[in-house]
Amino acid sequence: MDDELLELQRQFEFAQQAKSSIRLSERNVVELIQKLQQLQIIDFELLHTVSGKEYITLDQLRNDMVAEVNKLGRISLIDLADATGVDLYYVEKLSQNIVTDHREFMLNQGEIISESYWDSIAEEINERLQECSQIALTELAAQLNVGLDMISSVLEPRLGAMVKGRLEGGQLYTPAYVARISAMVRGAARGITVPTNLTVLWSSLQQLLQEMEGSSGVAVEGSFFQSLFNGLVKEGEILGSVRAGVHWTPAVFAIAQKESVDSFFSQNSFINYDVLHKLGIPQPIQFLQSRYPEGKPLVTTFVHPSMIEMLDAATEDAIERGSWSDSLSLLPSSFSPQDASRMLSQCQAVQLALKSNKAHIFGDFYVLGSSFMKDICDLIMKELETLSVSGSSGTMMSGDLQVASEAKVGYHSSRFSESNEVVSDSGVNRNVDKGSKKKKGKGTGNTVANLSESGPDNQDQTSTKSKKSQRRGKDTSSQTSDSKPSSRKESLKMKEDNLSTPSEEWIMQKIATLVPDFEEQGVDDPETILRPLANQLRPTIISSWLEKKKALLTENAERMRHLLDILQKKLDESFLNMQLYEKALELFEDDQSISVVLHRHLLRTVAAPMVDLLLQKLDEHNKLKSGVDVQEEDPNSEPDSLNPGDRVAISRNFPGTLSKKALAVAEALEGKRVEIFTDAFRMLTEESGLPLKKLDKKLERTLLHSYRKELTSQVSDETDPVSLLPKVVSLLYIQVHHKALQAPGRAISVAISRLKDKLDESAYKILTDYQTATVTLLALLSAAPGDEDDCASDRILSKKELLQNQMLDLKSVVLRTTQSS
């Protein structure tokens, strides 16, 4: 047999070495192959190699590729194309079939890898793992140039068999290392007795490992610790509970928690939520409700029903006794006002008292019986009645509390305006109509207006004008009444009446005085009980007080109406005189110094009494409106003279706009211009509901005529040589300029000098001589040392005798000039 094989080998070798007598070219071979394919003798696919000199079948290519993969274990498709000499297209096409047919192969990122390759890699990883105790999968993936998921999927089925270790959090650990770390986690967890965040524990263990193993130590992720910890908890080696994955509560702590809560609650019948927060219980209400279903949760405290019953009994007793109760003071100091309020809402007796209006709650936890509140209200009403009867209601408003004073002044003003509307038809417009008796006084100021009303020529004129004013006033009032509905008037009256009532601040002060227990109990904040109680009592007090005020106002209504009538009449008289005298000031506007003197003289002599009268009567009217018993005065008596400080003080008592306009009048009175005062005074009277008449041409002529007659009579009857001169000058100015001049002594000489061109020489000389003699007499009187100086007395007597003679001549000249004109 062996000989035969050797013989066949020799023959085969000879056949190979023998040269063929017939040789085919490559072209002929290609054509021959194509012909065989056309004849379907070759009925399978043939592939050209990359060199183009060889044919290869698909089966042969598949076998060559499988052999190459088995040989190398891991090879890329590009390397397979180079190794087989076939185009990459056919290699990629067959690779899917090869992987499908051979389960031990896998295709990954253009590479075919066999299981044997992974087995060898797993052995290498295991050897390395035993040396290092830990290997990161990212490091292996980078070394093997594969994805992290690929290396994980390959290693997981080989763990425990080929790879002796544990895969956790992207790390490979040896069993010994895992056991060591597990022991550390177990010991650390068992040593914890209070709730702890596990991330903090893992950080401590990582730091401990670094200190033990130095810089070459293995870095352990927190997830590895967490995984080992979860396993230990599941196996029951560590007792406790985990919340949200990282919050660990040991069983020993939970037991201590419950024992502490049970002990406190059983002893005190309440427990604050802060105590449970300090014990590490994050949801105290749910925890307490689960352990004590009968308990009642409050805002900051959890209480036993027995505490609510105790509070209910104490509060009910206070209500029955007609007293008040501070619920918060009956509870432990840790309770908040909201807790007390919520407990009161659960007290049955208190709720029944509230529904039946037997009690009221203020400031969340103050319970006041209705009888107690009624007693306070009665005491305050007695206080108000005492103040009203004594005529010192202003003291109640201003002395006790400034805020209340302002409210009362506001009431006076608004009520005053209303009464003016009522009186206007019967008082203001009727003043010009009525006329009055001629009054004789020391000066000539009021005489002008009085004469204008009593003069026969003026009766028709003033009567006609007053009728027009009455018609105009009636039309205006009717338009106003049509445009404003009655409901608006009623609401305005309610608002005005409300301003006269005791203020909230005043009631609060009285409550604090009448109930000193509030201060003794430490009720310092008025917002807790004083203000709410004042708001509760104020409507009742207001109702009673307004009834009282209404009765007082009814009593004073006639006095107020009479006061306004007289005031309107006097103001019209004075203001007409003021306007008449003001026109004479135009003659001296070219001389600023004399103009200032004349303006200030007119303000002091005519305007000041008029302002004093108005301010005092307004103040008196306000007192009557407020129900104060004011002593009735003689309507014909002159008002008291006020100084600037008095005027400002009275003006500031008026409310709002009225006060501002009154202060403007007081300021203008101290100024240097009459027209500024006139405008301010007219605005004040209009604001007060006392409109003043304007001086027209007809009325001016009438007043001048009456004034001239009055001055003529006074000049004829005058016996004092010094007093005669200003009357003569005023009479001459009426004759020459048709102006009523009021000039002080300082301006007489200038006034006389301006008559030089208007009088004949003899009359003017008599006037100047008389003025010179008067000045000399006044100088002697002021320089005289006393009655003992006989020489000075003789000179004064001689000068008076001379003036008496000259006075006759002056009267004669003036009266003759008057008669001729």
Side-chain angles (χ1 to χ4, degrees), residues 341-371:
S341 176
R342 186 166 294 185
M343 289 184 68
L344 288 174
S345 66
Q346 300 179 22
C347 294
Q348 296 181 359
V350 174
Q351 294 304 311
L352 290 175
L354 292 175
K355 291 180 181 178
S356 60
N357 290 327
K358 291 183 178 180
H360 300 272
I361 294 179
F362 298 96
D364 293 336
F365 52 87
Y366 292 102
V367 182
L368 277 68
S370 297
S371 59

Short mmCIF file of all heavy atoms in Angstrom, two decimals, residues 341-371:
data_model
loop_
_atom_site.label_atom_id
_atom_site.label_comp_id
_atom_site.label_asym_id
_atom_site.label_seq_id
_atom_site.Cartn_x
_atom_site.Cartn_y
_atom_site.Cartn_z
N SER A 341 -56.87 80.43 68.11
CA SER A 341 -58.04 80.70 67.28
C SER A 341 -58.66 79.41 66.78
O SER A 341 -59.89 79.25 66.78
CB SER A 341 -57.65 81.60 66.11
OG SER A 341 -58.73 81.80 65.24
N ARG A 342 -57.83 78.48 66.35
CA ARG A 342 -58.36 77.21 65.84
C ARG A 342 -58.99 76.38 66.97
O ARG A 342 -60.00 75.70 66.75
CB ARG A 342 -57.26 76.42 65.15
CG ARG A 342 -57.75 75.17 64.46
CD ARG A 342 -56.73 74.58 63.51
NE ARG A 342 -56.47 75.47 62.39
CZ ARG A 342 -55.68 75.14 61.36
NH1 ARG A 342 -55.07 73.96 61.34
NH2 ARG A 342 -55.48 75.99 60.39
N MET A 343 -58.42 76.44 68.15
CA MET A 343 -59.02 75.72 69.28
C MET A 343 -60.38 76.31 69.63
O MET A 343 -61.33 75.59 69.94
CB MET A 343 -58.09 75.77 70.48
CG MET A 343 -56.83 74.91 70.34
SD MET A 343 -55.80 74.90 71.82
CE MET A 343 -56.86 74.00 72.96
N LEU A 344 -60.50 77.65 69.60
CA LEU A 344 -61.79 78.28 69.88
C LEU A 344 -62.84 77.87 68.85
O LEU A 344 -64.03 77.74 69.20
CB LEU A 344 -61.64 79.81 69.88
CG LEU A 344 -60.91 80.43 71.06
CD1 LEU A 344 -60.73 81.92 70.85
CD2 LEU A 344 -61.66 80.17 72.37
N SER A 345 -62.42 77.67 67.62
CA SER A 345 -63.38 77.23 66.59
C SER A 345 -63.90 75.83 66.85
O SER A 345 -64.92 75.44 66.28
CB SER A 345 -62.72 77.31 65.21
OG SER A 345 -61.66 76.37 65.11
N GLN A 346 -63.21 75.06 67.70
CA GLN A 346 -63.63 73.70 68.02
C GLN A 346 -64.27 73.61 69.39
O GLN A 346 -64.64 72.51 69.84
CB GLN A 346 -62.43 72.75 67.94
CG GLN A 346 -61.79 72.72 66.56
CD GLN A 346 -60.58 71.78 66.50
OE1 GLN A 346 -60.46 70.88 67.32
NE2 GLN A 346 -59.73 72.01 65.52
N CYS A 347 -64.40 74.76 70.10
CA CYS A 347 -65.07 74.77 71.40
C CYS A 347 -66.58 74.93 71.18
O CYS A 347 -67.04 75.94 70.63
CB CYS A 347 -64.54 75.93 72.25
SG CYS A 347 -62.80 75.76 72.72
N GLN A 348 -67.36 73.96 71.60
CA GLN A 348 -68.79 73.96 71.34
C GLN A 348 -69.50 75.11 72.05
O GLN A 348 -70.34 75.80 71.45
CB GLN A 348 -69.39 72.61 71.77
CG GLN A 348 -68.86 71.43 70.97
CD GLN A 348 -69.50 70.12 71.39
OE1 GLN A 348 -70.31 70.10 72.31
NE2 GLN A 348 -69.13 69.03 70.72
N ALA A 349 -69.19 75.30 73.33
CA ALA A 349 -69.87 76.36 74.07
C ALA A 349 -69.57 77.74 73.49
O ALA A 349 -70.45 78.61 73.41
CB ALA A 349 -69.46 76.31 75.54
N VAL A 350 -68.33 77.95 73.08
CA VAL A 350 -67.95 79.24 72.49
C VAL A 350 -68.68 79.46 71.17
O VAL A 350 -69.19 80.56 70.89
CB VAL A 350 -66.43 79.31 72.29
CG1 VAL A 350 -66.05 80.58 71.55
CG2 VAL A 350 -65.72 79.25 73.63
N GLN A 351 -68.77 78.43 70.35
CA GLN A 351 -69.44 78.58 69.06
C GLN A 351 -70.92 78.86 69.24
O GLN A 351 -71.51 79.64 68.50
CB GLN A 351 -69.23 77.31 68.22
CG GLN A 351 -67.78 77.08 67.81
CD GLN A 351 -67.22 78.27 67.04
OE1 GLN A 351 -67.85 78.77 66.10
NE2 GLN A 351 -66.04 78.71 67.45
N LEU A 352 -71.55 78.22 70.24
CA LEU A 352 -72.96 78.50 70.50
C LEU A 352 -73.15 79.94 70.97
O LEU A 352 -74.11 80.61 70.58
CB LEU A 352 -73.48 77.52 71.56
CG LEU A 352 -73.64 76.06 71.12
CD1 LEU A 352 -74.05 75.20 72.30
CD2 LEU A 352 -74.67 75.95 70.00
N ALA A 353 -72.23 80.42 71.81
CA ALA A 353 -72.31 81.81 72.27
C ALA A 353 -72.13 82.79 71.12
O ALA A 353 -72.79 83.84 71.06
CB ALA A 353 -71.26 82.06 73.35
N LEU A 354 -71.26 82.47 70.19
CA LEU A 354 -71.06 83.35 69.02
C LEU A 354 -72.30 83.38 68.15
O LEU A 354 -72.69 84.45 67.65
CB LEU A 354 -69.85 82.88 68.21
CG LEU A 354 -68.47 83.02 68.88
CD1 LEU A 354 -67.39 82.40 68.00
CD2 LEU A 354 -68.15 84.48 69.15
N LYS A 355 -72.92 82.23 67.93
CA LYS A 355 -74.11 82.18 67.08
C LYS A 355 -75.27 82.94 67.71
O LYS A 355 -76.09 83.53 67.01
CB LYS A 355 -74.49 80.73 66.81
CG LYS A 355 -73.50 80.00 65.92
CD LYS A 355 -73.93 78.56 65.69
CE LYS A 355 -72.92 77.83 64.81
NZ LYS A 355 -73.31 76.39 64.60
N SER A 356 -75.37 82.90 69.03
CA SER A 356 -76.46 83.60 69.72
C SER A 356 -76.10 85.03 70.10
O SER A 356 -76.83 85.67 70.87
CB SER A 356 -76.83 82.81 70.98
OG SER A 356 -75.71 82.70 71.86
N ASN A 357 -74.95 85.54 69.62
CA ASN A 357 -74.50 86.91 69.89
C ASN A 357 -74.28 87.18 71.37
O ASN A 357 -74.39 88.32 71.84
CB ASN A 357 -75.48 87.93 69.33
CG ASN A 357 -75.46 87.98 67.82
OD1 ASN A 357 -74.42 87.77 67.20
ND2 ASN A 357 -76.60 88.24 67.22
N LYS A 358 -73.96 86.15 72.11
CA LYS A 358 -73.62 86.33 73.51
C LYS A 358 -72.14 86.65 73.72
O LYS A 358 -71.74 87.02 74.81
CB LYS A 358 -73.98 85.08 74.32
CG LYS A 358 -75.46 84.82 74.44
CD LYS A 358 -75.73 83.60 75.31
CE LYS A 358 -77.23 83.37 75.48
NZ LYS A 358 -77.49 82.16 76.33
N ALA A 359 -71.35 86.47 72.67
CA ALA A 359 -69.90 86.70 72.77
C ALA A 359 -69.37 87.11 71.41
O ALA A 359 -70.02 86.89 70.38
CB ALA A 359 -69.18 85.45 73.29
N HIS A 360 -68.19 87.70 71.42
CA HIS A 360 -67.49 88.11 70.20
C HIS A 360 -66.01 87.81 70.37
O HIS A 360 -65.48 87.87 71.49
CB HIS A 360 -67.71 89.60 69.92
CG HIS A 360 -69.14 89.98 69.73
ND1 HIS A 360 -69.77 89.92 68.50
CD2 HIS A 360 -70.08 90.40 70.63
CE1 HIS A 360 -71.03 90.30 68.65
NE2 HIS A 360 -71.24 90.61 69.94
N ILE A 361 -65.37 87.49 69.26
CA ILE A 361 -63.94 87.18 69.27
C ILE A 361 -63.20 88.31 68.59
O ILE A 361 -63.56 88.74 67.49
CB ILE A 361 -63.65 85.84 68.56
CG1 ILE A 361 -64.27 84.68 69.32
CG2 ILE A 361 -62.14 85.61 68.44
CD1 ILE A 361 -64.04 83.32 68.68
N PHE A 362 -62.14 88.80 69.24
CA PHE A 362 -61.29 89.86 68.69
C PHE A 362 -59.85 89.39 68.72
O PHE A 362 -59.43 88.69 69.66
CB PHE A 362 -61.43 91.15 69.51
CG PHE A 362 -62.82 91.72 69.49
CD1 PHE A 362 -63.71 91.45 70.52
CD2 PHE A 362 -63.24 92.52 68.45
CE1 PHE A 362 -64.99 91.96 70.52
CE2 PHE A 362 -64.51 93.05 68.44
CZ PHE A 362 -65.40 92.78 69.46
N GLY A 363 -59.11 89.79 67.71
CA GLY A 363 -57.68 89.47 67.68
C GLY A 363 -57.38 87.99 67.72
O GLY A 363 -56.40 87.58 68.34
N ASP A 364 -58.21 87.16 67.14
CA ASP A 364 -58.02 85.71 67.02
C ASP A 364 -58.31 84.95 68.32
O ASP A 364 -58.83 83.83 68.26
CB ASP A 364 -56.61 85.36 66.55
CG ASP A 364 -56.36 85.80 65.13
OD1 ASP A 364 -57.35 85.95 64.39
OD2 ASP A 364 -55.19 86.02 64.77
N PHE A 365 -57.97 85.52 69.49
CA PHE A 365 -58.07 84.71 70.69
C PHE A 365 -58.67 85.45 71.89
O PHE A 365 -58.73 84.90 72.98
CB PHE A 365 -56.69 84.17 71.08
CG PHE A 365 -55.62 85.22 71.18
CD1 PHE A 365 -55.42 85.93 72.34
CD2 PHE A 365 -54.81 85.50 70.08
CE1 PHE A 365 -54.44 86.90 72.43
CE2 PHE A 365 -53.82 86.47 70.15
CZ PHE A 365 -53.63 87.17 71.33
N TYR A 366 -59.11 86.69 71.73
CA TYR A 366 -59.77 87.40 72.82
C TYR A 366 -61.29 87.20 72.68
O TYR A 366 -61.87 87.54 71.65
CB TYR A 366 -59.45 88.89 72.80
CG TYR A 366 -58.02 89.22 73.11
CD1 TYR A 366 -57.12 89.55 72.10
CD2 TYR A 366 -57.55 89.20 74.42
CE1 TYR A 366 -55.81 89.85 72.37
CE2 TYR A 366 -56.24 89.50 74.71
CZ TYR A 366 -55.37 89.82 73.68
OH TYR A 366 -54.07 90.11 73.96
N VAL A 367 -61.91 86.65 73.72
CA VAL A 367 -63.35 86.40 73.72
C VAL A 367 -63.99 87.37 74.72
O VAL A 367 -63.67 87.34 75.91
CB VAL A 367 -63.67 84.94 74.09
CG1 VAL A 367 -65.17 84.70 74.04
CG2 VAL A 367 -62.94 83.98 73.17
N LEU A 368 -64.89 88.23 74.23
CA LEU A 368 -65.56 89.21 75.06
C LEU A 368 -67.05 88.92 75.08
O LEU A 368 -67.67 88.73 74.02
CB LEU A 368 -65.32 90.63 74.54
CG LEU A 368 -64.01 91.32 74.94
CD1 LEU A 368 -62.83 90.65 74.28
CD2 LEU A 368 -64.05 92.80 74.57
N GLY A 369 -67.62 88.87 76.29
CA GLY A 369 -69.05 88.68 76.41
C GLY A 369 -69.81 89.92 75.96
O GLY A 369 -69.34 91.05 76.08
N SER A 370 -71.01 89.70 75.43
CA SER A 370 -71.82 90.82 74.94
C SER A 370 -72.19 91.77 76.08
O SER A 370 -72.22 92.99 75.89
CB SER A 370 -73.08 90.28 74.26
OG SER A 370 -72.75 89.52 73.12
N SER A 371 -72.46 91.22 77.26
CA SER A 371 -72.78 92.08 78.40
C SER A 371 -71.58 92.92 78.81
O SER A 371 -71.73 94.10 79.19
CB SER A 371 -73.23 91.22 79.58
OG SER A 371 -72.22 90.29 79.94
#
